[in-house]
Coordinates of all heavy atoms in Angstrom, one line a residue:
M1373 N -143.5 -13.2 -221.4 CA -143.2 -12.0 -220.6 C -143.1 -10.8 -221.5 O -142.6 -11.0 -222.6 CB -141.8 -12.3 -219.8 CG -141.4 -11.0 -219.0 SD -139.9 -11.3 -218.1 CE -140.5 -11.5 -216.5
K1374 N -143.4 -9.7 -221.0 CA -143.4 -8.5 -221.8 C -141.9 -8.1 -222.1 O -141.0 -8.5 -221.5 CB -144.0 -7.3 -221.0 CG -145.4 -7.4 -220.6 CD -145.8 -6.3 -219.8 CE -147.3 -6.4 -219.4 NZ -147.7 -5.4 -218.6
N1375 N -141.7 -7.4 -223.2 CA -140.4 -6.9 -223.6 C -140.1 -5.8 -222.6 O -140.7 -4.7 -222.6 CB -140.3 -6.4 -225.0 CG -140.5 -7.6 -226.0 OD1 -140.1 -8.7 -225.7 ND2 -141.0 -7.3 -227.1
L1376 N -139.1 -6.0 -221.8 CA -138.7 -5.0 -220.7 C -137.3 -4.5 -221.1 O -136.5 -5.1 -221.8 CB -138.6 -5.6 -219.4 CG -139.9 -6.3 -218.8 CD1 -139.6 -6.9 -217.5 CD2 -141.0 -5.2 -218.7
R1377 N -137.1 -3.2 -220.7 CA -135.8 -2.7 -220.9 C -134.8 -3.4 -220.1 O -135.1 -4.0 -219.1 CB -135.8 -1.2 -220.4 CG -136.7 -0.3 -221.3 CD -136.7 1.1 -220.6 NE -135.3 1.6 -220.6 CZ -135.0 2.8 -220.1 NH1 -135.9 3.6 -219.7 NH2 -133.7 3.2 -220.0
P1378 N -133.5 -3.4 -220.5 CA -132.5 -4.0 -219.7 C -132.3 -3.4 -218.3 O -132.7 -2.2 -218.2 CB -131.2 -3.8 -220.5 CG -131.6 -3.4 -221.9 CD -133.0 -2.8 -221.8
S1379 N -131.9 -4.2 -217.4 CA -131.7 -3.7 -216.0 C -130.7 -2.5 -216.0 O -129.8 -2.5 -216.7 CB -131.2 -4.8 -215.1 OG -132.1 -5.8 -215.1
I1380 N -131.0 -1.6 -215.0 CA -130.0 -0.6 -214.8 C -129.0 -1.1 -213.8 O -129.4 -1.6 -212.7 CB -130.7 0.7 -214.2 CG1 -131.8 1.3 -215.3 CG2 -129.7 1.8 -213.9 CD1 -132.6 2.3 -214.7
E1381 N -127.7 -0.9 -214.1 CA -126.7 -1.4 -213.1 C -126.7 -0.6 -211.9 O -127.0 0.7 -211.8 CB -125.3 -1.3 -213.8 CG -125.2 -2.3 -214.9 CD -123.8 -2.3 -215.5 OE1 -122.8 -1.9 -214.8 OE2 -123.6 -2.9 -216.6
Y1382 N -126.3 -1.2 -210.8 CA -126.3 -0.5 -209.5 C -125.4 0.7 -209.5 O -125.8 1.8 -208.8 CB -125.7 -1.5 -208.4 CG -125.8 -1.0 -207.0 CD1 -127.0 -0.8 -206.4 CD2 -124.6 -0.6 -206.3 CE1 -127.0 -0.3 -205.1 CE2 -124.6 -0.1 -205.1 CZ -125.8 0.0 -204.4 OH -125.9 0.5 -203.2
K1383 N -124.3 0.7 -210.1 CA -123.5 1.9 -210.2 C -124.3 3.1 -210.8 O -124.1 4.3 -210.4 CB -122.2 1.7 -211.0 CG -121.2 0.8 -210.2 CD -119.9 0.6 -211.0 CE -119.0 -0.2 -210.3 NZ -117.7 -0.4 -211.0
R1384 N -125.1 2.8 -211.8 CA -125.9 3.8 -212.4 C -126.9 4.4 -211.5 O -127.1 5.6 -211.5 CB -126.6 3.3 -213.7 CG -127.4 4.3 -214.4 CD -126.7 5.5 -215.0 NE -127.7 6.3 -215.7 CZ -127.6 7.6 -215.7 NH1 -126.8 8.3 -214.9 NH2 -128.5 8.4 -216.3
L1385 N -127.5 3.6 -210.7 CA -128.5 4.1 -209.7 C -127.8 4.9 -208.7 O -128.4 5.9 -208.3 CB -129.2 2.9 -209.0 CG -130.1 2.0 -210.0 CD1 -130.5 0.8 -209.2 CD2 -131.2 2.8 -210.4
Q1386 N -126.6 4.6 -208.3 CA -125.9 5.4 -207.3 C -125.6 6.8 -207.9 O -125.6 7.7 -207.3 CB -124.5 4.7 -206.9 CG -124.8 3.5 -206.0 CD -123.5 2.9 -205.7 OE1 -122.6 2.7 -206.5 NE2 -123.3 2.5 -204.3
E1387 N -125.1 6.7 -209.2 CA -124.9 7.9 -209.9 C -126.1 8.9 -210.0 O -126.0 10.1 -209.7 CB -124.3 7.7 -211.3 CG -124.0 8.9 -212.2 CD -123.7 8.5 -213.6 OE1 -123.1 7.4 -213.8 OE2 -123.9 9.3 -214.4
L1388 N -127.2 8.3 -210.3 CA -128.5 9.0 -210.4 C -128.8 9.7 -209.0 O -129.3 10.8 -208.9 CB -129.6 8.2 -210.9 CG -129.6 7.8 -212.3 CD1 -130.7 6.7 -212.6 CD2 -129.8 9.0 -213.2
S1389 N -128.5 8.9 -208.0 CA -128.8 9.4 -206.7 C -127.9 10.6 -206.3 O -128.4 11.6 -205.7 CB -128.6 8.3 -205.6 OG -128.9 8.7 -204.3
R1390 N -126.7 10.5 -206.6 CA -125.7 11.6 -206.3 C -126.0 12.8 -207.2 O -125.8 13.9 -206.7 CB -124.3 11.2 -206.6 CG -123.7 10.3 -205.5 CD -122.2 10.2 -205.7 NE -121.8 9.7 -207.0 CZ -121.8 8.6 -207.5 NH1 -122.0 7.5 -206.7 NH2 -121.4 8.3 -208.8
T1391 N -126.3 12.6 -208.4 CA -126.4 13.8 -209.4 C -127.8 14.4 -209.5 O -127.9 15.4 -210.2 CB -125.9 13.4 -210.8 OG1 -126.7 12.3 -211.3 CG2 -124.4 12.9 -210.7
N1392 N -128.8 13.8 -208.9 CA -130.1 14.3 -209.1 C -130.8 14.5 -207.8 O -131.2 13.6 -207.1 CB -131.0 13.4 -210.0 CG -132.2 14.0 -210.5 OD1 -132.8 14.8 -209.9 ND2 -132.6 13.6 -211.7
S1393 N -131.0 15.8 -207.4 CA -131.6 16.1 -206.1 C -133.1 16.2 -206.1 O -133.7 16.5 -205.1 CB -131.0 17.3 -205.5 OG -131.2 18.4 -206.4
D1394 N -133.7 16.0 -207.3 CA -135.2 16.1 -207.4 C -135.9 15.1 -206.4 O -135.5 14.0 -206.4 CB -135.6 15.7 -208.8 CG -137.1 15.8 -209.1 OD1 -137.9 15.4 -208.3 OD2 -137.4 16.4 -210.2
P1395 N -136.7 15.6 -205.6 CA -137.3 14.8 -204.6 C -138.1 13.5 -205.1 O -138.1 12.5 -204.5 CB -138.3 15.7 -203.9 CG -137.9 17.1 -204.2 CD -137.2 17.0 -205.5
V1396 N -138.7 13.7 -206.3 CA -139.4 12.6 -206.9 C -138.4 11.4 -207.3 O -138.7 10.3 -207.0 CB -140.3 13.0 -208.1 CG1 -140.8 11.8 -208.9 CG2 -141.3 14.0 -207.7
V1397 N -137.3 11.9 -207.9 CA -136.2 10.9 -208.3 C -135.7 10.2 -207.1 O -135.6 9.0 -207.0 CB -135.1 11.7 -209.1 CG1 -134.0 10.6 -209.3 CG2 -135.7 12.1 -210.4
Q1398 N -135.5 11.0 -206.1 CA -134.9 10.4 -204.8 C -135.9 9.5 -204.2 O -135.5 8.4 -203.7 CB -134.6 11.5 -203.8 CG -133.4 12.3 -204.2 CD -132.1 11.6 -204.4 OE1 -131.8 10.7 -203.5 NE2 -131.4 11.8 -205.4
E1399 N -137.2 9.8 -204.2 CA -138.2 8.9 -203.7 C -138.3 7.6 -204.5 O -138.4 6.5 -203.9 CB -139.6 9.6 -203.7 CG -140.7 8.8 -203.0 CD -142.0 9.6 -202.9 OE1 -142.1 10.7 -203.4 OE2 -142.9 9.0 -202.3
L1400 N -138.2 7.7 -205.8 CA -138.2 6.5 -206.6 C -137.0 5.6 -206.4 O -137.1 4.4 -206.4 CB -138.4 6.9 -208.1 CG -139.7 7.5 -208.5 CD1 -139.7 8.0 -209.9 CD2 -140.8 6.4 -208.3
L1401 N -135.9 6.3 -206.3 CA -134.6 5.5 -206.0 C -134.7 4.8 -204.7 O -134.2 3.7 -204.5 CB -133.4 6.4 -206.1 CG -133.0 6.9 -207.5 CD1 -132.0 7.9 -207.4 CD2 -132.6 5.7 -208.4
W1402 N -135.3 5.4 -203.7 CA -135.5 4.8 -202.4 C -136.4 3.6 -202.5 O -136.1 2.5 -201.9 CB -136.0 5.8 -201.4 CG -136.2 5.2 -200.0 CD1 -137.3 4.8 -199.4 CD2 -135.1 4.8 -199.1 NE1 -137.1 4.2 -198.2 CE2 -135.7 4.2 -198.0 CE3 -133.7 4.9 -199.2 CZ2 -134.9 3.7 -197.0 CZ3 -132.9 4.4 -198.2 CH2 -133.6 3.8 -197.1
E1403 N -137.5 3.7 -203.3 CA -138.3 2.6 -203.5 C -137.7 1.5 -204.2 O -137.9 0.3 -203.8 CB -139.6 3.1 -204.3 CG -140.6 2.0 -204.5 CD -141.3 1.5 -203.2 OE1 -141.0 2.0 -202.1 OE2 -142.1 0.5 -203.3
I1404 N -136.8 1.7 -205.1 CA -136.0 0.7 -205.8 C -135.1 0.0 -204.8 O -135.1 -1.2 -204.7 CB -135.2 1.3 -206.9 CG1 -136.1 1.7 -208.1 CG2 -134.1 0.3 -207.4 CD1 -135.3 2.6 -209.1
R1405 N -134.5 0.7 -203.9 CA -133.7 0.1 -202.9 C -134.5 -0.8 -201.9 O -134.1 -1.9 -201.6 CB -133.0 1.2 -202.0 CG -131.8 1.9 -202.7 CD -131.2 2.9 -201.6 NE -130.5 3.9 -202.5 CZ -130.9 5.1 -202.5 NH1 -131.9 5.6 -201.9 NH2 -130.2 6.0 -203.2
R1406 N -135.7 -0.3 -201.6 CA -136.6 -1.1 -200.6 C -137.0 -2.3 -201.4 O -137.0 -3.4 -200.7 CB -137.8 -0.2 -200.2 CG -138.6 -0.8 -199.1 CD -139.8 0.0 -198.9 NE -140.7 -0.1 -200.0 CZ -141.5 -1.1 -200.3 NH1 -141.5 -2.2 -199.5 NH2 -142.3 -1.1 -201.3
L1407 N -137.4 -2.2 -202.6 CA -137.8 -3.5 -203.3 C -136.7 -4.5 -203.5 O -136.9 -5.6 -203.4 CB -138.5 -3.0 -204.6 CG -139.9 -2.3 -204.5 CD1 -140.3 -1.8 -205.8 CD2 -140.9 -3.2 -203.8
H1408 N -135.6 -3.9 -203.8 CA -134.4 -4.8 -203.9 C -134.1 -5.5 -202.6 O -133.8 -6.7 -202.6 CB -133.1 -4.0 -204.3 CG -132.0 -4.8 -204.5 ND1 -131.1 -5.1 -203.5 CD2 -131.5 -5.5 -205.6 CE1 -130.1 -5.9 -204.0 NE2 -130.4 -6.2 -205.2
F1409 N -134.3 -4.8 -201.5 CA -134.0 -5.5 -200.2 C -135.1 -6.6 -200.0 O -134.8 -7.7 -199.5 CB -134.2 -4.5 -199.1 CG -134.1 -5.1 -197.7 CD1 -132.9 -5.5 -197.2 CD2 -135.3 -5.2 -197.0 CE1 -132.8 -6.1 -196.0 CE2 -135.2 -5.9 -195.7 CZ -134.0 -6.3 -195.2
M1410 N -136.4 -6.3 -200.4 CA -137.4 -7.3 -200.3 C -137.1 -8.6 -201.1 O -137.3 -9.7 -200.6 CB -138.8 -6.8 -200.7 CG -139.4 -5.9 -199.6 SD -141.0 -5.4 -200.1 CE -141.9 -7.0 -200.2
L1411 N -136.6 -8.3 -202.3 CA -136.3 -9.5 -203.1 C -135.1 -10.3 -202.6 O -135.0 -11.5 -202.7 CB -136.0 -9.0 -204.6 CG -137.2 -8.5 -205.4 CD1 -136.8 -7.9 -206.7 CD2 -138.2 -9.6 -205.6
S1412 N -134.1 -9.6 -202.0 CA -133.0 -10.2 -201.5 C -133.4 -11.1 -200.2 O -132.9 -12.2 -200.0 CB -131.8 -9.3 -201.0 OG -132.2 -8.5 -200.0
Q1413 N -134.4 -10.6 -199.5 CA -135.0 -11.4 -198.3 C -135.7 -12.6 -198.9 O -135.6 -13.7 -198.3 CB -135.9 -10.5 -197.5 CG -135.2 -9.4 -196.8 CD -134.3 -9.9 -195.8 OE1 -134.7 -10.7 -194.9 NE2 -133.0 -9.5 -195.9
D1414 N -136.4 -12.4 -200.0 CA -137.1 -13.6 -200.6 C -136.1 -14.6 -201.1 O -136.3 -15.8 -200.9 CB -138.0 -13.2 -201.8 CG -139.2 -12.3 -201.3 OD1 -139.5 -12.4 -200.2 OD2 -139.7 -11.6 -202.2
L1415 N -134.9 -14.2 -201.6 CA -133.9 -15.2 -202.0 C -133.5 -15.9 -200.8 O -133.3 -17.2 -200.8 CB -132.8 -14.4 -202.7 CG -131.6 -15.3 -203.1 CD1 -132.1 -16.4 -204.0 CD2 -130.5 -14.5 -203.7
Q1416 N -133.3 -15.3 -199.6 CA -132.8 -15.9 -198.4 C -133.9 -16.9 -198.0 O -133.6 -18.0 -197.5 CB -132.5 -14.9 -197.3 CG -131.3 -14.1 -197.5 CD -130.1 -14.9 -197.8 OE1 -129.8 -15.9 -197.0 NE2 -129.3 -14.6 -198.8
D1417 N -135.2 -16.6 -198.1 CA -136.2 -17.5 -197.8 C -136.3 -18.7 -198.7 O -136.5 -19.8 -198.2 CB -137.7 -16.7 -197.9 CG -137.8 -15.7 -196.8 OD1 -137.1 -15.8 -195.8 OD2 -138.7 -14.9 -197.0
I1418 N -136.0 -18.6 -200.0 CA -135.9 -19.7 -200.9 C -134.8 -20.6 -200.4 O -134.9 -21.8 -200.5 CB -135.7 -19.2 -202.3 CG1 -137.0 -18.5 -202.9 CG2 -135.3 -20.3 -203.2 CD1 -136.9 -17.8 -204.1
I1419 N -133.7 -20.1 -200.0 CA -132.6 -20.9 -199.6 C -133.0 -21.7 -198.3 O -132.7 -22.8 -198.2 CB -131.3 -20.0 -199.3 CG1 -130.8 -19.5 -200.6 CG2 -130.3 -20.8 -198.5 CD1 -129.8 -18.4 -200.5
Q1420 N -133.7 -21.0 -197.4 CA -134.2 -21.7 -196.2 C -135.2 -22.8 -196.6 O -135.2 -23.9 -196.0 CB -134.9 -20.7 -195.3 CG -134.1 -19.8 -194.5 CD -134.9 -18.9 -193.6 OE1 -136.0 -18.6 -193.8 NE2 -134.2 -18.4 -192.5
I1421 N -136.0 -22.5 -197.5 CA -137.0 -23.6 -198.0 C -136.2 -24.8 -198.5 O -136.5 -25.9 -198.1 CB -137.9 -23.0 -199.1 CG1 -138.9 -22.0 -198.6 CG2 -138.7 -24.2 -199.8 CD1 -139.6 -21.2 -199.6
R1422 N -135.2 -24.6 -199.3 CA -134.5 -25.7 -199.8 C -133.7 -26.5 -198.8 O -133.6 -27.7 -198.8 CB -133.5 -25.2 -200.9 CG -134.2 -24.8 -202.2 CD -133.2 -24.4 -203.2 NE -133.9 -24.0 -204.4 CZ -133.4 -23.3 -205.4 NH1 -132.1 -22.8 -205.3 NH2 -134.0 -23.1 -206.5
M1423 N -133.3 -25.8 -197.8 CA -132.5 -26.4 -196.7 C -133.4 -27.1 -195.7 O -133.0 -28.1 -195.1 CB -131.6 -25.4 -195.9 CG -130.5 -24.9 -196.8 SD -129.5 -23.6 -196.1 CE -129.6 -23.7 -194.4
A1424 N -134.6 -26.7 -195.5 CA -135.5 -27.3 -194.5 C -136.9 -27.7 -195.1 O -137.9 -27.5 -194.5 CB -135.7 -26.3 -193.4
W1425 N -136.8 -28.3 -196.3 CA -138.0 -28.6 -197.0 C -139.0 -29.5 -196.3 O -140.2 -29.3 -196.4 CB -137.7 -29.2 -198.4 CG -138.8 -29.3 -199.3 CD1 -139.5 -30.4 -199.7 CD2 -139.5 -28.2 -200.0 NE1 -140.5 -30.1 -200.6 CE2 -140.5 -28.8 -200.8 CE3 -139.3 -26.9 -200.1 CZ2 -141.3 -28.1 -201.6 CZ3 -140.1 -26.1 -200.9 CH2 -141.1 -26.7 -201.6
A1426 N -138.5 -30.3 -195.5 CA -139.4 -31.3 -194.8 C -140.1 -30.8 -193.6 O -141.1 -31.4 -193.1 CB -138.6 -32.5 -194.4
Q1427 N -139.6 -29.6 -193.1 CA -140.3 -29.1 -191.9 C -141.4 -28.3 -192.2 O -141.4 -27.2 -192.8 CB -139.2 -28.2 -191.2 CG -139.7 -27.6 -189.9 CD -138.7 -26.8 -189.2 OE1 -137.6 -26.6 -189.6 NE2 -139.1 -26.3 -188.0
E1428 N -142.7 -28.7 -191.8 CA -143.9 -28.0 -192.1 C -144.3 -27.3 -190.8 O -144.2 -27.8 -189.7 CB -144.9 -29.0 -192.5 CG -144.8 -29.5 -193.9 CD -146.0 -30.2 -194.5 OE1 -147.1 -29.7 -194.3 OE2 -145.8 -31.2 -195.1
V1429 N -145.0 -26.1 -191.0 CA -145.6 -25.4 -189.9 C -147.0 -25.0 -190.3 O -147.2 -24.3 -191.2 CB -144.7 -24.1 -189.6 CG1 -145.4 -23.3 -188.5 CG2 -143.3 -24.5 -189.3
G1430 N -148.0 -25.6 -189.6 CA -149.3 -25.2 -189.8 C -149.8 -25.5 -191.2 O -150.6 -24.7 -191.8
G1431 N -149.3 -26.5 -191.9 CA -149.7 -26.8 -193.2 C -149.0 -26.0 -194.3 O -149.1 -26.4 -195.5
N1432 N -148.3 -25.1 -194.0 CA -147.4 -24.3 -194.9 C -145.9 -24.3 -194.5 O -145.7 -24.4 -193.3 CB -147.8 -22.8 -195.0 CG -149.2 -22.6 -195.5 OD1 -149.6 -23.1 -196.5 ND2 -150.0 -21.8 -194.9
Y1433 N -145.1 -24.3 -195.5 CA -143.7 -24.2 -195.2 C -143.4 -22.8 -194.6 O -143.9 -21.8 -195.1 CB -142.9 -24.5 -196.4 CG -143.0 -25.9 -196.8 CD1 -143.8 -26.3 -197.9 CD2 -142.3 -27.0 -196.1 CE1 -143.9 -27.6 -198.3 CE2 -142.5 -28.3 -196.5 CZ -143.3 -28.6 -197.6 OH -143.4 -29.9 -198.0
A1434 N -142.7 -22.8 -193.5 CA -142.5 -21.5 -192.8 C -142.0 -20.4 -193.6 O -142.4 -19.3 -193.6 CB -141.6 -21.8 -191.6
A1435 N -140.9 -20.7 -194.4 CA -140.3 -19.6 -195.2 C -141.3 -19.2 -196.3 O -141.3 -18.0 -196.6 CB -139.0 -20.1 -195.8
I1436 N -142.0 -20.0 -196.9 CA -143.0 -19.6 -198.0 C -144.1 -18.7 -197.3 O -144.4 -17.7 -197.9 CB -143.7 -20.9 -198.6 CG1 -142.7 -21.6 -199.5 CG2 -144.9 -20.5 -199.5 CD1 -143.2 -22.9 -200.1
H1437 N -144.6 -19.1 -196.1 CA -145.6 -18.3 -195.4 C -145.0 -16.9 -195.1 O -145.7 -15.9 -195.4 CB -146.0 -19.0 -194.1 CG -146.9 -18.2 -193.3 ND1 -148.2 -18.0 -193.7 CD2 -146.8 -17.5 -192.2 CE1 -148.8 -17.2 -192.8 NE2 -148.0 -16.9 -191.9
Q1438 N -143.8 -16.8 -194.7 CA -143.2 -15.6 -194.3 C -143.0 -14.7 -195.6 O -143.3 -13.5 -195.6 CB -141.7 -15.8 -193.8 CG -141.0 -14.5 -193.4 CD -139.7 -14.8 -192.8 OE1 -139.3 -16.0 -192.6 NE2 -138.9 -13.9 -192.5
M1439 N -142.6 -15.3 -196.7 CA -142.5 -14.6 -198.0 C -143.8 -14.1 -198.4 O -144.0 -12.9 -198.9 CB -141.8 -15.5 -199.0 CG -141.5 -14.8 -200.3 SD -140.6 -15.8 -201.5 CE -140.7 -17.4 -201.0
L1440 N -144.9 -14.9 -198.5 CA -146.2 -14.5 -198.9 C -146.7 -13.4 -198.0 O -147.3 -12.4 -198.5 CB -147.1 -15.6 -198.9 CG -146.9 -16.7 -200.0 CD1 -147.8 -17.9 -199.8 CD2 -147.2 -16.1 -201.4
Y1441 N -146.5 -13.5 -196.7 CA -147.0 -12.4 -195.8 C -146.4 -11.1 -196.1 O -147.0 -10.1 -196.2 CB -146.8 -12.9 -194.3 CG -147.1 -11.7 -193.4 CD1 -148.5 -11.5 -193.0 CD2 -146.2 -10.9 -192.8 CE1 -148.8 -10.5 -192.2 CE2 -146.5 -9.9 -192.0 CZ -147.8 -9.7 -191.7 OH -148.2 -8.7 -190.8
R1442 N -145.0 -11.1 -196.3 CA -144.3 -9.9 -196.5 C -144.7 -9.3 -197.9 O -145.0 -8.0 -198.0 CB -142.8 -10.2 -196.6 CG -141.9 -8.9 -196.8 CD -140.4 -9.2 -196.6 NE -139.9 -10.3 -197.3 CZ -139.4 -11.4 -196.7 NH1 -139.5 -11.5 -195.4 NH2 -139.0 -12.4 -197.5
L1443 N -144.9 -10.1 -198.9 CA -145.3 -9.5 -200.2 C -146.8 -9.0 -200.1 O -147.0 -8.0 -200.7 CB -145.2 -10.6 -201.3 CG -143.7 -11.0 -201.6 CD1 -143.7 -12.2 -202.6 CD2 -143.0 -9.8 -202.2
K1444 N -147.7 -9.7 -199.5 CA -149.1 -9.3 -199.4 C -149.2 -8.1 -198.6 O -150.2 -7.3 -198.8 CB -150.0 -10.5 -198.9 CG -150.1 -11.5 -200.0 CD -151.1 -12.6 -199.5 CE -151.2 -13.7 -200.5 NZ -152.2 -14.7 -200.0
S1445 N -148.4 -7.9 -197.6 CA -148.6 -6.7 -196.7 C -147.9 -5.5 -197.2 O -148.0 -4.4 -196.7 CB -148.0 -7.1 -195.3 OG -146.6 -7.3 -195.3
D1446 N -147.1 -5.6 -198.3 CA -146.4 -4.5 -198.8 C -147.3 -3.7 -199.7 O -148.0 -4.1 -200.5 CB -145.2 -5.0 -199.7 CG -144.4 -3.8 -200.0 OD1 -144.6 -3.2 -201.2 OD2 -143.4 -3.4 -199.4
P1447 N -147.3 -2.3 -199.4 CA -148.2 -1.4 -200.1 C -147.9 -1.3 -201.6 O -148.7 -0.9 -202.4 CB -148.1 -0.1 -199.4 CG -146.8 -0.2 -198.7 CD -146.6 -1.6 -198.3
A1448 N -146.6 -1.6 -202.0 CA -146.3 -1.5 -203.4 C -146.4 -2.8 -204.1 O -146.2 -2.9 -205.3 CB -144.8 -1.1 -203.5
S1449 N -147.0 -3.9 -203.4 CA -147.1 -5.2 -204.1 C -148.3 -5.1 -205.1 O -149.1 -4.2 -205.0 CB -147.3 -6.3 -203.2 OG -148.5 -6.1 -202.5
F1450 N -148.3 -5.9 -206.1 CA -149.4 -6.0 -207.1 C -149.6 -7.4 -207.5 O -148.8 -8.3 -207.3 CB -149.0 -5.0 -208.3 CG -147.8 -5.5 -209.0 CD1 -147.8 -6.4 -210.0 CD2 -146.5 -5.1 -208.5 CE1 -146.7 -6.8 -210.7 CE2 -145.4 -5.6 -209.2 CZ -145.4 -6.4 -210.2
D1451 N -150.8 -7.6 -208.0 CA -151.1 -8.9 -208.6 C -150.6 -8.9 -210.0 O -150.9 -8.2 -210.8 CB -152.7 -9.2 -208.6 CG -153.2 -9.3 -207.2 OD1 -152.4 -9.7 -206.3 OD2 -154.3 -8.9 -207.0
G1452 N -149.7 -9.9 -210.2 CA -149.1 -10.0 -211.6 C -149.7 -11.0 -212.3 O -149.5 -11.5 -213.4

């Protein structure tokens, strides 16, 4: 994995939002919130997968299919 900067703490993101009214900064902070929400939804899907691993739907596990659909349909997604 690439050397990445350490994560910014949530309190710091809140502070940046309060203290910086620049529209570009606000838009980027909103995108961070949105992506964080998507990741939290993916975590919930992983929990569902673990709890209902044996239940298959159309050859794919339902939660995996839901997660893939959400990620592929997101305009900010990328191939990593």
Side-chain angles (χ1 to χ4, degrees):
M1373 179 180 252
K1374 296 178 183 177
N1375 291 330
L1376 301 175
R1377 292 178 56 180
S1379 299
I1380 298 172
E1381 292 188 18
Y1382 183 71
K1383 288 181 181 182
R1384 176 67 177 136
L1385 293 173
Q1386 287 178 316
E1387 178 187 332
L1388 288 170
S1389 182
R1390 279 192 314 273
T1391 61
N1392 194 328
S1393 61
D1394 183 313
V1396 173
V1397 171
Q1398 291 299 314
E1399 186 175 5
L1400 290 171
L1401 289 169
W1402 181 254
E1403 183 65 6
I1404 290 169
R1405 286 185 204 109
R1406 190 186 68 75
L1407 292 171
H1408 182 267
F1409 175 77
M1410 283 186 61
L1411 289 173
S1412 68
Q1413 292 297 302
D1414 291 342
L1415 178 59
Q1416 292 303 312
D1417 291 344
I1418 290 169
I1419 291 168
Q1420 283 181 337
I1421 291 168
R1422 288 182 176 161
M1423 289 174 27
W1425 191 253
Q1427 181 181 1
E1428 288 191 40
V1429 177
N1432 292 315
Y1433 292 103
I1436 291 174
H1437 177 73
Q1438 181 180 356
M1439 186 174 16
L1440 287 172
Y1441 175 78
R1442 184 172 47 248
L1443 291 172
K1444 286 182 178 182
S1445 65
D1446 186 270
S1449 66
F1450 61 93
D1451 293 328

